[in-house]
Amino acid sequence: MSALRDALSDLPDAVFADLLESETSYLLVLDLPGVTAETAELRVEKGRLVVEARRDKRLPAEFDYVREERPLFLDAEVPLPPDAVADEAEASMERGTLEIRLPKREAASERTIPITTGDDDA
């Protein structure tokens, strides 16, 4: 999971993120001000979570930009934890906050593995 944690520190300045973990899943929370579910796309590519979003920036007709530092597009890419199950991921967006739940793969149950020998064929 350290690769994911490191990638979060490299996100664009316009994107703030929290990473939470429980026994059964990860929760990635991204603040994407000005973004809605309709203007965001979330997908998995080659073991990475890709977020592409567009802000809604309305400029009142009587104003012109003197300085513009809020980017219109917010793109982020982070590696998935190796035990995350991307096919079962769920996402929700509310008031510019995107929450992505990534369930963890269940660990194989513990069991004893029998050992056979060549003598067992007799």
Side-chain angles (χ1 to χ4, degrees), residues 15 19 23 26-27 34 36 43 50 67 70 82-83 91 96 99 105 109:
V15 178
L19 176 63
E23 288 185 24
Y26 296 98
L27 176 61
T36 65
R43 65 184 183 279
V50 179
R67 184 170 133 182
R70 296 180 312 128
D83 59 344
E99 290 190 0
R105 185 173 298 113
S109 59

Side-chain angles (χ1 to χ4, degrees), residues 8-66:
L8 292 179
S9 66
D10 293 333
L11 288 175
D13 290 339
V15 178
F16 295 96
D18 289 332
L19 176 63
L20 298 93
E21 181 179 11
S22 73
E23 288 185 24
T24 59
S25 63
Y26 296 98
L27 176 61
L28 179 59
V29 181
L30 299 170
D31 285 342
L32 302 171
V35 174
T36 65
E38 292 78 24
T39 63
E41 181 181 338
L42 183 61
R43 65 184 183 279
V44 174
E45 289 180 356
K46 299 178 185 171
R48 300 183 69 78
L49 184 64
V50 179
V51 180
E52 293 181 352
R54 182 179 46 79
R55 291 182 201 250
D56 183 19
K57 289 173 55 174
R58 293 194 181 115
L59 178 66
E62 68 272 16
F63 287 93
D64 293 316
Y65 279 106
V66 173

